[in-house]
Amino acid sequence: MLRASHSLGVIFFPAYDWSISPTHPEREERLLYTQDQFREEGVFDIEGIGEYRPLVASPEDIARVHFCFPSVEAVTTHSHHISAGGAIRAAGLVLDKERERAFAIVRPPGHHAMRCVHGSRGFCNINIEAIMVEWIRERMGNVRVAIVDTDCHHGDGTQDIYWHDPDTLFISLHQDGRTLYPGTGFPAECGGPKALGRTINIPLPPRTSDAGYLMAVEGIVKPILDHFKPDIIINSAGQDNHYSDPITNMNFTAQGYARLTELLGPHIAVLEGGYAIKGALPYVNLGIALALAGVDYSAVREPDLDPERIREHQSTLDYIKALCDHLPQVYFEPTQREEVEREGRFFVRRRSIFYDTDGITENQIERLRDCPYCPGWLHVESASDRVPKSLGIHVPIQGCDNCVDEADALFRKAQADSSFAHVQLIDRVRKRIRHAR
Amino acid sequence: MHIGIDVGGTHTDGVLIKEGRVMAAAKEPTDGDLLTTITSVLRKLTAEAQGHAISSVNLSTTLSTNAIVTGTTEPVAVFAIPGPGIRAENYRIGDPFIVLPGAIDHRGTVTGRLRERDVAPHLAACKAANITAYAVVGKFSTRNPEHELFVADLLRPQAQVISLGHRVAEQLNFGRRVATAYFNSAAWRAFHRFAHALEGALAELGVQTEVNIVKADGGTMPLALAREIPVQSIFSGPAASVMGILAAAPQSEDAIVLDIGGTTTDIALLLDGTPLLERDGITLAGHPTLVRALQVTSIALGGDSVVRFEGGAFRVGPDRLGPCMAAGGPAPALMDAVNVLGYAHYADTERSMAGIRELAMRQGSSVRECARQIVDTAMGILSRAVGEFLALVNSRPVYTIQEILQERRLTPKQVLLIGGPAKALAPLVETALELPALVPPHSPVANAIGACLTRPTQGVVLTVDTARGRFTAPGLGIMKTVPRTYTLEQAVAEARALLSAELTRQGIRAHADDIHVLQAESFNMVENNVTIGRNIRVRCQLRPGVLTTLAA
Ligand SMILES: [Zn+2]
Ligand SMILES: [Zn+2]
């Protein structure tokens, strides 16, 4: 009988009673064939692989990460609480040492959800990886975390949440933003002024296949990961780089995904996108699960695979080779690449964010305290078509006493300020979440 | 009048039941020739029938299990058609184990060709090796059996038995289906000889009646069906006992069932009064199969579990050094402590007292105190095991938001006990599990009563792909075309009708209300933003249950 060399917990939650709309890619059918494949392959008969139910994330688990305007309830449904709960369950299995690794095959996804949430962007409402990471830190303190996002789309939500955090390394590999939603994720985006080089973006040319993708992983991701020495490695395991995915243009295969997983060796993998539900997901999910468990995956291949047809051009490989030569500098020799606006003791970012799934536009002004002792507390003024100007205040887990006090003072003041429709405080130092209005 | 016989490892029990009353019981040691033992029990029971007609003989037998476990099976050639996925080599069983090309995907679409010339050389080799028993199993054959059927047609001229994956088990799980089909062919001839001899023995006794074989899922199947799928008759013992309890003390709520023996206790659970089944199936000779079975946990604790005083504490079990001291054994056992406390007056209680006294002297406590600690230790083992089992069952994965939000936890309201020490231990179990305990009447022959009164279980699994108009009910060998407008409601109605017809064909009487729909799901299949059809899955089952309950 087969035996896992790394024990693996799988949280499989297909949400067979939830969809964005009947024909939306994010619909009931999405994980149906993956479940068929797992059952037929007897994945849970492999010694060392077990299946678990998700937990249900509490409103507090979500409010620990996000400013949900007007409220957590208003921007989430049960499905979101359960998919975040699936990721939390995965983390719990690894933290409690019940399993060495875990794979949360859950939906809906989360990596486009940013710190402020007014609705759904790129099928995501809340960031299930960030909710999981902060759940871990709530228990373990400030562990060093690396999140490697291998979804075909730039993980702009996760990037936003960890933009100012020097203890979270966020690496996103994705199809070049000039050719795909959300249109961001360029190497110059490399972290806020207090966390330079902790955000790494690796845009890949359309039609990149296994050789090019794995070259980027070995040439850029691996050396950085090895140097950062994270306590926990998380893979946002989107599967839409697949050659048959209907909404992207990459040429990655199930074998490629399995090899990628083997190279990264994540403690926790969380499913993100992937919409070739019949021809890709069953094989990619199987490949990832076997690779996580350290079980031979060499015979996992798509029935219609023709490696010659999807092989990348030499020019693509040359381009990626060049990326491998200079992109690691973003991490090893971080420099401020984008102009940073200042207002006194604060760094300022002004942004307009579009929620494509819900058709909402949000305008925000983010201010980060330039603190000599810690990464600094943050406050965000945010307004959208749905919610009038509101305020979110965030004190990072590394926050110093001074930052805690300043944030607290602003929260008190803002409570009395009727120009804000909602005021929310996340104080990770004192583990406080406060909502005024 | 109905006869039920349970052939256990050490004893064979039989009962004769008329209109819900146990008219006679018989017990024989199971030794030597199985058929002789069964005939002897049958003779005793038919004599008690005093010429009244016997309307059924139900048999729970370890025969195929024994054949498989002791290796007295014949060579079986296994033809596997794995397609892409986990390497087929990992499921190697049988000799030879032949891996063929060809592939079918999760929707039943042929994605890899299988040609006669891929199979032909293996046919010749098997023929040369005088192999006549075969198993043919393809991945996703339950979605589309055409490759299995293709190989079977080629094998037929040289085969005596061919077990096809999609016929031995309808559930998904390729590796388990390979093992199940292999064991079915391996046990086939031995079972046939036995069935033939049994019919001869019945004729000799002048009994002309239907014969049913008990399955591990607590149901029965007619002998004719058992001849096709003998693998389903394995490990039916625990199921027979649980069904016997349900005949004697029908339940409608969640409950725990304990079958306490000399060295082990089997734990089963009832959900709304119906026994809980394993998700997949039992493991046989180290190979997981798709043979459906009641979910039973066994712990090493029984009346004869030896008691030791070690490192300042008592240990009960896991082994047995003989019977308890009261019954002439060499060392004090759990039953001796129960005797000392006065919960039982079993055999020579003075010997129990002497045995426990010696332990008490070593511990430096009174005999009663010592016996109390021993019993508490044993009950601790039991309640921990029950707690873990319940936790396991209550954490089973679910796949819809509704199920997560409306969590149905199994919460026992009652504990039912059978087995030798059941009566004596009942008050202790009641306290330990904090649940009312009941020892049903006729508890010593619950296994035979269960065999006698349990009714058939039979299921139908069907999948429909309306985009291709494909309808598959693999267990019944049905593949047909349906219109694109075919609905979930039609599928459920058809599954019910197919199951009813199949039951009638097998001579099984059942009400329409006895058929339960376990799964009825329909998924929109979308391609290029357009709904091209529906993927429908329906499972119906005649659940485990008893034909009649025993009169009070
Ligand atoms: Zn994506
Ligand atoms: Zn500070």
Side-chain angles (χ1 to χ4, degrees):
Chain A
M1 223 166 81
L2 279 166
R3 182 192 297 265
S5 52
H6 303 287
S7 68
L8 175 70
V10 177
I11 296 88
F12 183 82
F13 191 74
Y16 283 148
D17 47 358
W18 180 82
S19 69
I20 289 180
S21 76
T23 56
H24 195 279
E26 204 42 83
R27 64 179 180 275
E28 297 89 342
E29 187 195 6
R30 184 168 167 230
L31 292 174
L32 182 65
Y33 311 113
T34 292
Q35 184 174 45
D36 285 348
Q37 197 75 34
F38 274 44
R39 284 203 173 141
E40 182 68 347
E41 300 286 356
V43 168
F44 301 112
D45 285 336
I46 296 173
E47 211 181 312
I49 301 186
E51 188 182 7
Y52 297 85
R53 316 180 172 195
L55 298 172
V56 181
S58 68
E60 196 194 350
D61 291 328
I62 296 163
R64 190 181 293 134
V65 170
H66 291 292
F67 301 125
C68 292
F69 296 124
S71 65
V72 170
E73 299 74 46
V75 297
T76 59
T77 65
H78 291 306
S79 64
H80 303 107
H81 288 249
I82 297 171
S83 85
I88 289 175
R89 185 73 209 266
L93 291 174
V94 174
L95 253 49
D96 297 344
K97 301 207 176 351
E98 185 168 342
R99 300 281 166 174
E100 211 176 316
R101 293 174 174 183
F103 186 11
I105 308 178
V106 296
R107 51 182 289 266
H111 76 145
H112 295 302
M114 300 186 167
R115 176 76 72 194
C116 290
V117 177
H118 289 259
S120 182
R121 298 184 69 242
F123 320 159
C124 304
N125 293 49
I126 52 171
N127 195 301
I128 59 179
E129 285 91 348
I131 290 167
M132 171 180 80
V133 168
E134 298 315 311
W135 181 90
I136 293 172
R137 287 178 169 153
E138 187 76 359
R139 271 150 198 79
M140 309 289 290
N142 188 28
V143 291
R144 283 167 78 78
V145 175
I147 303 172
V148 182
D149 187 321
T150 51
D151 188 279
C152 189
H153 301 90
H154 174 224
D156 56 350
T158 316
Q159 169 170 308
D160 178 66
I161 293 169
Y162 291 109
W163 186 250
H164 299 298
D165 183 357
D167 295 316
T168 303
L169 172 66
F170 175 69
I171 304 176
S172 180
L173 296 102
H174 45 262
Q175 182 179 328
D176 195 313
R178 287 168 296 194
T179 61
L180 189 70
Y181 177 88
T184 51
F186 300 100
E189 300 161 41
C190 60
K194 295 290 186 171
L196 274 183
R198 291 301 193 243
T199 293
I200 312 288
N201 279 301
I202 310 174
L204 297 169
R207 287 179 293 285
T208 299
S209 188
D210 291 9
Y213 202 105
L214 295 172
M215 186 197 288
V217 172
E218 285 180 280
I220 307 169
V221 181
K222 280 299 278 178
I224 295 175
L225 268 187
D226 290 347
H227 183 270
F228 184 71
K229 293 191 181 57
D231 300 310
I232 298 171
I233 300 174
I234 292 154
N235 178 207
S236 286
Q239 304 179 3
D240 37 10
N241 288 295
H242 194 264
Y243 64 84
S244 67
D245 197 275
I247 62 175
T248 61
N249 317 93
M250 299 288 269
N251 278 339
F252 211 34
T253 68
Q255 276 294 314
Y257 267 109
R259 175 72 187 135
L260 159 71
T261 308
E262 192 170 70
L263 283 170
L264 291 179
H267 298 93
I268 304 161
V270 179
L271 174 67
E272 280 291 336
Y275 301 97
I277 64 173
K278 176 168 62 100
L281 259 59
Y283 310 101
V284 176
N285 275 315
L286 179 65
I288 293 177
L290 295 181
L292 281 170
V295 173
D296 171 31
Y297 58 77
S298 56
V300 178
R301 77 195 280 287
E302 302 80 347
D304 64 352
L305 177 69
D306 177 356
E308 286 311 314
R309 195 175 56 79
I310 58 166
R311 182 155 300 169
E312 58 271 87
H313 290 147
Q314 186 57 42
S315 61
T316 301
L317 292 177
D318 293 343
Y319 177 87
I320 296 170
K321 179 77 190 56
L323 280 184
C324 292
D325 290 340
H326 66 257
L327 240 167
Q329 288 168 13
V330 173
Y331 172 85
F332 289 104
E333 300 153 39
T335 49
Q336 191 71 58
R337 300 186 179 219
E338 288 179 325
E339 190 92 353
V340 182
E341 186 187 335
R342 286 194 78 116
E343 261 176 26
R345 297 175 306 171
F346 291 90
F347 298 107
V348 185
R349 278 205 295 175
R350 291 167 208 276
R351 291 187 297 165
S352 178
I353 294 155
F354 184 60
Y355 291 66
D356 59 309
T357 311
D358 280 351
I360 308 168
T361 302
E362 176 199 357
N363 286 300
Q364 60 167 245
I365 305 171
E366 180 204 274
R367 293 182 176 86
L368 177 78
R369 171 73 158 92
D370 181 9
C371 173
Y373 309 110
C374 79
W377 65 281
L378 181 83
H379 62 282
V380 190
E381 282 176 34
S382 167
S384 73
D385 311 342
R386 286 189 186 171
V387 181
K389 191 173 81 171
S390 297
L391 183 68
I393 304 166
H394 180 262
V395 183
I397 197 163
Q398 311 91 327
C400 66
D401 289 349
N402 189 45
C403 281
V404 169
D405 292 342
E406 282 181 24
D408 210 46
L410 178 67
F411 181 67
R412 280 166 211 274
K413 201 173 124 213
Q415 271 180 305
D417 182 346
S418 59
S419 72
F420 293 116
H422 306 280
V423 181
Q424 303 183 0
L425 169 74
I426 302 170
D427 176 350
R428 301 287 290 120
V429 176
R430 286 193 273 176
K431 299 190 177 181
R432 291 197 315 164
I433 297 164
R434 294 284 183 274
H435 289 192
R437 291 193 293 280
Chain B
M1 296 231 193
H2 302 276
I3 285 176
I5 296 174
D6 177 51
V7 186
T10 49
H11 283 98
T12 294
D13 290 300
V15 288
L16 176 71
I17 295 178
K18 181 188 176 189
E19 286 157 15
R21 284 173 204 287
V22 179
M23 309 302 288
K27 201 183 213 37
E28 292 266 323
T30 306
D31 48 26
D33 177 37
L34 194 63
L35 195 68
T36 316
T37 309
I38 293 171
T39 311
S40 158
V41 170
L42 270 174
R43 186 169 288 123
K44 283 186 189 167
L45 295 173
T46 46
E48 298 282 342
Q50 295 167 339
H52 289 285
I54 308 288
S55 47
S56 68
V57 171
N58 286 6
L59 196 64
S60 162
T61 160
T62 56
L63 176 86
S64 14
T65 322
N66 283 348
I68 290 160
V69 173
T70 58
T72 57
T73 52
E74 62 183 291
V76 178
V78 176
F79 286 74
I81 313 155
I86 291 174
R87 280 202 187 284
E89 201 44 46
N90 294 298
Y91 309 119
R92 173 175 282 278
I93 190 168
D95 190 17
F97 180 82
I98 297 151
V99 179
L100 296 176
I104 284 172
D105 79 357
H106 40 78
R107 272 198 191 166
T109 309
V110 176
T111 55
R113 280 180 66 197
L114 175 62
R115 290 159 300 191
E116 186 168 351
R117 66 163 197 256
D118 300 321
V119 188
H122 302 293
L123 295 179
C126 289
K127 192 167 186 181
N130 284 323
I131 294 172
T132 56
Y134 296 91
V136 183
V137 187
K139 195 171 284 176
F140 286 115
S141 62
T142 58
R143 294 283 157 83
N144 177 358
E146 67 179 79
H147 284 163
E148 284 183 4
L149 295 170
F150 175 73
V151 176
D153 279 343
L154 297 174
L155 280 171
R156 202 150 286 126
Q158 67 193 65
Q160 280 191 332
V161 55
I162 309 172
S163 298
L164 299 181
H166 73 283
R167 298 306 296 270
V168 295
E170 295 181 289
Q171 304 101 291
L172 293 180
N173 197 315
F174 176 66
R176 285 177 181 261
R177 218 158 50 245
V178 167
T180 310
Y182 162 79
F183 285 127
N184 197 59
S185 287
W188 183 83
R189 199 177 313 274
F191 192 87
H192 256 243
R193 272 197 217 107
F194 169 76
H196 187 73
L198 178 68
E199 282 169 335
L202 284 168
E204 214 165 280
L205 290 168
V207 180
Q208 266 198 325
T209 180
E210 63 173 71
V211 177
N212 299 302
I213 303 295
V214 181
K215 301 187 292 180
D217 70 355
T220 62
M221 57 183 166
L223 186 59
L225 184 62
R227 287 181 131 149
E228 284 174 45
I229 41 169
V231 69
Q232 296 285 353
S233 71
I234 61 181
F235 280 135
S236 55
S241 297
V242 171
M243 299 317 287
I245 292 173
L246 291 182
Q251 300 294 311
S252 59
E253 290 192 292
D254 296 356
I256 300 166
V257 177
L258 301 178
D259 184 350
I260 308 173
T263 49
T264 58
T265 295
D266 286 346
I267 309 170
L269 296 172
L270 307 179
L271 180 71
D272 293 330
T274 304
L276 222 55
L277 293 171
E278 291 258 17
R279 189 161 92 161
D280 297 304
I282 50 184
T283 295
L284 203 52
H287 295 272
T289 71
L290 284 173
V291 175
R292 301 273 285 183
L294 300 196
Q295 194 169 7
V296 176
T297 284
S298 248
I299 55 170
L301 182 73
D304 295 339
S305 292
V306 66
V307 178
R308 295 186 178 88
F309 185 68
E310 279 175 4
F314 287 106
R315 247 175 13 115
V316 182
D319 53 331
R320 165 191 198 263
L321 295 179
C324 62
M325 288 192 69
L334 174 59
M335 201 56 200
D336 293 311
V338 174
N339 254 347
V340 165
L341 291 177
Y343 289 104
H345 304 281
Y346 177 65
D348 185 351
T349 52
E350 277 309 309
R351 274 184 57 86
S352 290
M353 194 64 88
I356 302 294
R357 186 176 298 123
E358 199 178 312
L359 282 173
M361 269 154 49
R362 264 199 282 154
Q363 194 210 8
S365 65
S366 74
V367 178
R368 265 196 88 74
E369 172 56 27
C370 172
R372 172 52 65 187
Q373 285 186 29
I374 293 166
V375 165
D376 286 349
T377 305
M379 289 303 114
I381 296 171
L382 178 69
S383 53
R384 256 194 312 281
V386 167
E388 281 166 18
F389 193 14
L390 279 171
L392 179 78
V393 163
N394 283 328
S395 63
R396 278 186 179 192
V398 295
Y399 305 110
T400 59
I401 292 164
Q402 177 116 343
E403 285 171 291
I404 294 260
L405 299 178
Q406 304 172 348
E407 192 183 5
R408 166 74 171 94
R409 294 180 71 83
L410 193 146
T411 8
K413 303 284 191 299
Q414 167 107 54
V415 51
L416 300 153
L417 295 94
I418 58 161
K423 264 235 145 62
L425 292 178
L428 294 163
V429 169
E430 194 162 77
T431 313
L433 300 182
E434 295 174 11
L435 286 172
L438 175 73
V439 180
H442 309 290
S443 136
V445 284
N447 52 346
I449 292 171
C452 186
L453 294 181
T454 193
R455 69 176 187 202
T457 48
Q458 171 87 34
V460 163
V461 177
L462 64 85
T463 43
V464 184
D465 178 339
T466 65
R468 300 157 145 268
R470 192 211 301 271
F471 174 109
T472 325
L476 303 175
I478 299 174
M479 268 190 82
K480 62 172 189 176
T481 314
V482 290
R484 298 174 66 94
T485 52
Y486 197 83
T487 64
L488 177 62
E489 291 67 35
Q490 283 174 289
V492 171
E494 190 149 1
R496 284 177 170 278
L498 282 171
L499 182 51
S500 292
E502 178 62 16
L503 293 171
T504 309
R505 194 185 69 78
Q506 293 178 16
I508 297 167
R509 290 170 300 277
H511 290 289
D513 329 345
D514 292 339
I515 296 177
H516 293 263
V517 179
L518 300 178
Q519 180 189 19
E521 290 172 326
S522 171
F523 295 89
N524 280 340
M525 298 190 294
V526 178
E527 258 163 41
N528 304 321
N529 298 317
V530 177
T531 305
I532 55 161
R534 285 171 301 283
N535 195 302
I536 298 172
R537 284 112 192 258
V538 178
R539 279 192 300 142
C540 286
Q541 192 196 34
L542 195 59
R543 282 203 301 211
V546 288
L547 293 167
T548 71
T549 55
L550 290 183

